[in-house]
Amino acid sequence: MTPALAPLEEHPFLRGLSSEQVKAIACDVREQSFPAGALLLREGDEARTLFLLRSGRVSLELNVPGQGPRQLESLKGGDILGLSWLFPPYRWHLDARAMEPVEAFALDAACLRGPSPEHPVLEPALAMRLVRQLYERLERVRMQRLDLYKGGA
């Protein structure tokens, strides 16, 4: 493992994968920084990146006609951002805005889509991690809804 990949291997999303699997995933990885207020992704743009958030907070926003952006969820270091690269037509469905300075690994979706002949367990390993992330987000949304309804009672 090269020193540049060591921090990537420690991200909670990839923890537990073999060094070979991480190398395959990181075929085109970049470290990116975003200042507070910057858009990491914009609704409608081509989705070709999976962000592994290292630090900072990101707001997932939906533009509501006549009302402007509405925050749906917030993410933090250790979370992943961007799943629209998984499904055609590979377009972002939301905006993602840095609420504070953000540090992230940006992984090229071309390295993540489909199985790699050299690493046949890569696809199932990633799929299980993605399903776990989706499940955790669904649970957070459920808890947020409970708080919303509790506040209105």
Side-chain angles (χ1 to χ4, degrees), residues 97-137:
R97 185 178 314 278
M99 299 168 70
E100 58 191 45
V102 171
E103 299 290 325
F105 291 114
L107 296 137
D108 186 336
C111 296
L112 302 171
R113 280 192 207 112
S116 166
E118 297 85 13
H119 307 285
V121 295
L122 186 60
E123 186 177 88
L126 279 177
M128 287 306 298
R129 283 168 167 72
L130 291 168
V131 167
R132 182 176 49 223
Q133 284 281 324
L134 290 169
Y135 178 77
E136 289 171 5
R137 285 192 187 171

Coordinates of all heavy atoms in Angstrom, one line a residue, residues 97-137:
R97 N -24.1 20.9 -0.4 CA -23.4 22.2 -0.1 C -22.6 22.0 1.2 O -23.1 21.5 2.2 CB -24.4 23.3 0.1 CG -23.8 24.7 0.3 CD -24.9 25.8 0.5 NE -25.9 25.6 -0.5 CZ -25.8 26.1 -1.8 NH1 -24.8 26.8 -2.2 NH2 -26.9 26.0 -2.6
A98 N -21.3 22.5 1.1 CA -20.5 22.5 2.3 C -21.0 23.5 3.4 O -21.2 24.6 3.1 CB -19.0 22.8 2.0
M99 N -21.4 23.0 4.5 CA -21.8 23.8 5.6 C -20.7 24.5 6.4 O -20.8 25.4 7.1 CB -22.7 23.0 6.6 CG -24.0 22.4 5.9 SD -24.8 21.2 6.9 CE -25.5 22.2 8.2
E100 N -19.5 23.8 6.3 CA -18.3 24.3 6.8 C -17.2 23.7 5.9 O -17.5 22.9 5.1 CB -18.1 23.8 8.3 CG -18.2 22.3 8.5 CD -18.4 21.8 9.9 OE1 -19.2 22.4 10.6 OE2 -17.7 20.9 10.3
P101 N -15.9 24.1 6.1 CA -14.9 23.5 5.2 C -14.9 22.0 5.2 O -15.1 21.3 6.3 CB -13.6 24.0 5.8 CG -14.0 25.3 6.5 CD -15.4 25.1 7.0
V102 N -14.8 21.4 4.1 CA -14.9 19.9 3.9 C -13.7 19.4 3.2 O -13.2 20.0 2.3 CB -16.2 19.6 3.0 CG1 -16.2 18.1 2.6 CG2 -17.5 19.9 3.7
E103 N -13.2 18.3 3.7 CA -12.1 17.5 3.1 C -12.7 16.2 2.7 O -13.4 15.6 3.5 CB -11.0 17.3 4.1 CG -10.3 18.6 4.6 CD -9.5 19.3 3.5 OE1 -8.9 18.6 2.7 OE2 -9.5 20.5 3.6
A104 N -12.4 15.7 1.5 CA -13.0 14.5 1.0 C -12.0 13.8 0.1 O -11.2 14.4 -0.6 CB -14.3 14.8 0.3
F105 N -12.2 12.5 0.0 CA -11.6 11.7 -1.1 C -12.7 11.6 -2.2 O -13.9 11.4 -1.9 CB -11.3 10.3 -0.7 CG -10.2 10.2 0.2 CD1 -10.4 9.7 1.5 CD2 -8.9 10.5 -0.1 CE1 -9.4 9.6 2.4 CE2 -7.8 10.4 0.8 CZ -8.1 9.9 2.0
A106 N -12.3 11.9 -3.5 CA -13.3 11.8 -4.6 C -12.8 10.6 -5.4 O -11.7 10.6 -6.0 CB -13.2 13.1 -5.4
L107 N -13.7 9.6 -5.5 CA -13.4 8.4 -6.2 C -14.2 8.4 -7.6 O -15.4 8.7 -7.6 CB -13.9 7.2 -5.4 CG -13.1 7.0 -4.1 CD1 -14.0 6.6 -3.0 CD2 -12.1 5.9 -4.3
D108 N -13.5 8.0 -8.6 CA -14.1 8.0 -9.9 C -15.1 6.8 -10.0 O -14.7 5.7 -9.8 CB -13.0 7.9 -11.0 CG -13.5 8.0 -12.4 OD1 -14.7 7.7 -12.7 OD2 -12.7 8.3 -13.3
A109 N -16.3 7.1 -10.4 CA -17.3 6.1 -10.5 C -17.0 5.0 -11.5 O -17.4 3.8 -11.3 CB -18.7 6.7 -10.9
A110 N -16.2 5.3 -12.5 CA -15.8 4.3 -13.5 C -15.0 3.2 -12.8 O -15.0 2.0 -13.3 CB -15.0 4.9 -14.6
C111 N -14.3 3.5 -11.8 CA -13.5 2.5 -11.0 C -14.4 1.7 -10.1 O -14.0 0.6 -9.7 CB -12.4 3.2 -10.2 SG -11.2 4.0 -11.1
L112 N -15.6 2.1 -9.8 CA -16.5 1.5 -8.9 C -17.6 0.7 -9.6 O -18.1 -0.3 -9.0 CB -17.2 2.6 -8.0 CG -16.2 3.4 -7.2 CD1 -17.0 4.6 -6.5 CD2 -15.5 2.6 -6.2
R113 N -18.0 1.1 -10.8 CA -19.1 0.4 -11.4 C -18.6 -1.0 -12.0 O -17.6 -1.0 -12.6 CB -19.6 1.2 -12.6 CG -20.5 2.3 -12.3 CD -21.2 2.9 -13.5 NE -21.5 4.2 -13.3 CZ -21.0 5.3 -13.9 NH1 -20.0 5.1 -14.8 NH2 -21.4 6.5 -13.6
G114 N -19.4 -2.0 -11.8 CA -19.1 -3.2 -12.4 C -18.0 -4.0 -11.7 O -17.2 -3.4 -11.1
P115 N -17.9 -5.3 -11.9 CA -16.9 -6.1 -11.3 C -15.6 -5.9 -12.0 O -15.5 -5.6 -13.2 CB -17.4 -7.5 -11.4 CG -18.3 -7.5 -12.6 CD -18.9 -6.1 -12.7
S116 N -14.5 -6.0 -11.3 CA -13.2 -6.0 -11.8 C -12.7 -7.4 -12.0 O -12.8 -8.2 -11.0 CB -12.2 -5.2 -10.9 OG -10.9 -5.5 -11.2
P117 N -12.2 -7.8 -13.1 CA -11.8 -9.2 -13.3 C -10.7 -9.6 -12.3 O -10.6 -10.8 -11.9 CB -11.3 -9.3 -14.8 CG -11.8 -8.1 -15.4 CD -12.1 -7.1 -14.4
E118 N -9.8 -8.7 -12.0 CA -8.7 -9.0 -11.0 C -9.2 -9.1 -9.6 O -8.6 -9.7 -8.8 CB -7.7 -7.9 -11.0 CG -7.0 -7.7 -12.4 CD -7.8 -6.8 -13.3 OE1 -8.7 -6.1 -12.9 OE2 -7.5 -6.8 -14.5
H119 N -10.4 -8.5 -9.3 CA -10.9 -8.5 -7.9 C -12.4 -8.9 -7.9 O -13.2 -8.0 -7.7 CB -10.7 -7.1 -7.3 CG -9.3 -6.7 -7.4 ND1 -8.3 -7.2 -6.6 CD2 -8.7 -5.8 -8.2 CE1 -7.2 -6.6 -6.9 NE2 -7.4 -5.8 -7.8
P120 N -12.7 -10.2 -8.1 CA -14.1 -10.5 -8.2 C -15.0 -10.3 -7.0 O -16.2 -10.2 -7.1 CB -14.1 -12.0 -8.6 CG -12.7 -12.5 -8.1 CD -11.8 -11.3 -8.2
V121 N -14.4 -10.2 -5.8 CA -15.2 -9.9 -4.6 C -15.4 -8.4 -4.4 O -16.1 -8.0 -3.5 CB -14.6 -10.5 -3.3 CG1 -14.5 -12.0 -3.4 CG2 -13.2 -10.0 -3.1
L122 N -14.8 -7.6 -5.2 CA -14.9 -6.1 -5.0 C -16.4 -5.7 -5.1 O -16.8 -4.9 -4.3 CB -14.1 -5.4 -6.1 CG -13.9 -3.9 -5.9 CD1 -13.3 -3.6 -4.6 CD2 -13.1 -3.4 -7.0
E123 N -17.1 -6.1 -6.1 CA -18.5 -5.7 -6.3 C -19.4 -6.0 -5.1 O -20.0 -5.2 -4.6 CB -19.0 -6.2 -7.6 CG -20.4 -5.6 -7.9 CD -21.0 -6.0 -9.2 OE1 -21.6 -7.1 -9.2 OE2 -20.7 -5.3 -10.2
P124 N -19.4 -7.3 -4.7 CA -20.2 -7.6 -3.5 C -19.8 -6.8 -2.2 O -20.6 -6.4 -1.5 CB -20.1 -9.1 -3.3 CG -19.6 -9.6 -4.6 CD -18.8 -8.5 -5.3
A125 N -18.5 -6.6 -2.0 CA -18.0 -5.9 -0.9 C -18.5 -4.5 -0.9 O -19.0 -3.9 0.1 CB -16.5 -6.0 -0.8
L126 N -18.4 -3.8 -2.1 CA -18.9 -2.5 -2.2 C -20.4 -2.4 -2.0 O -21.0 -1.5 -1.4 CB -18.5 -1.8 -3.5 CG -17.1 -1.3 -3.6 CD1 -16.8 -0.8 -5.0 CD2 -16.9 -0.2 -2.6
A127 N -21.1 -3.4 -2.7 CA -22.6 -3.4 -2.6 C -23.1 -3.4 -1.1 O -24.0 -2.7 -0.7 CB -23.1 -4.5 -3.4
M128 N -22.5 -4.3 -0.3 CA -22.9 -4.4 1.0 C -22.6 -3.1 1.8 O -23.4 -2.7 2.6 CB -22.1 -5.6 1.7 CG -22.7 -6.9 1.3 SD -24.5 -7.1 1.5 CE -24.7 -6.9 3.2
R129 N -21.5 -2.5 1.5 CA -21.2 -1.2 2.2 C -22.2 -0.1 1.8 O -22.6 0.7 2.6 CB -19.8 -0.8 1.9 CG -18.8 -1.6 2.7 CD -17.3 -1.3 2.2 NE -16.4 -1.9 3.2 CZ -16.2 -3.1 3.4 NH1 -16.8 -4.1 2.8 NH2 -15.3 -3.5 4.3
L130 N -22.6 -0.1 0.5 CA -23.5 0.9 0.0 C -24.9 0.6 0.6 O -25.6 1.6 1.1 CB -23.6 0.9 -1.5 CG -22.4 1.4 -2.2 CD1 -22.4 1.1 -3.7 CD2 -22.2 2.9 -2.0
V131 N -25.3 -0.6 0.7 CA -26.6 -1.0 1.3 C -26.6 -0.5 2.8 O -27.6 0.0 3.3 CB -26.9 -2.5 1.2 CG1 -28.1 -2.9 2.1 CG2 -27.2 -2.8 -0.3
R132 N -25.5 -0.8 3.5 CA -25.4 -0.4 4.9 C -25.5 1.1 5.0 O -26.3 1.6 5.9 CB -24.1 -0.9 5.5 CG -24.0 -0.5 7.0 CD -22.8 -1.1 7.7 NE -21.6 -0.8 7.0 CZ -20.6 -1.6 6.8 NH1 -20.7 -2.8 7.3 NH2 -19.6 -1.3 6.1
Q133 N -24.9 1.9 4.2 CA -25.0 3.4 4.2 C -26.4 3.8 4.0 O -26.9 4.7 4.6 CB -24.0 4.0 3.2 CG -22.6 4.0 3.6 CD -22.3 5.1 4.5 OE1 -22.8 6.1 4.5 NE2 -21.3 4.7 5.5
L134 N -27.1 3.2 3.0 CA -28.5 3.6 2.7 C -29.4 3.3 3.9 O -30.2 4.0 4.2 CB -28.9 2.8 1.4 CG -28.3 3.3 0.1 CD1 -28.6 2.4 -1.0 CD2 -28.7 4.7 -0.2
Y135 N -29.1 2.1 4.5 CA -30.0 1.7 5.7 C -29.7 2.7 6.8 O -30.7 3.2 7.4 CB -29.6 0.3 6.1 CG -30.4 -0.1 7.3 CD1 -31.7 -0.5 7.2 CD2 -29.8 -0.1 8.6 CE1 -32.4 -0.9 8.3 CE2 -30.5 -0.5 9.7 CZ -31.8 -0.8 9.6 OH -32.5 -1.2 10.7
E136 N -28.5 3.1 7.1 CA -28.2 4.1 8.1 C -28.9 5.4 7.8 O -29.4 6.1 8.7 CB -26.7 4.2 8.3 CG -26.1 3.0 9.0 CD -24.6 3.0 9.0 OE1 -24.0 4.0 8.6 OE2 -24.0 2.0 9.4
R137 N -28.8 5.8 6.6 CA -29.5 7.1 6.2 C -31.0 7.0 6.4 O -31.6 8.0 6.8 CB -29.1 7.5 4.8 CG -27.7 8.0 4.7 CD -27.5 8.7 3.4 NE -26.1 9.0 3.3 CZ -25.5 9.4 2.2 NH1 -26.3 9.5 1.1 NH2 -24.3 9.7 2.1

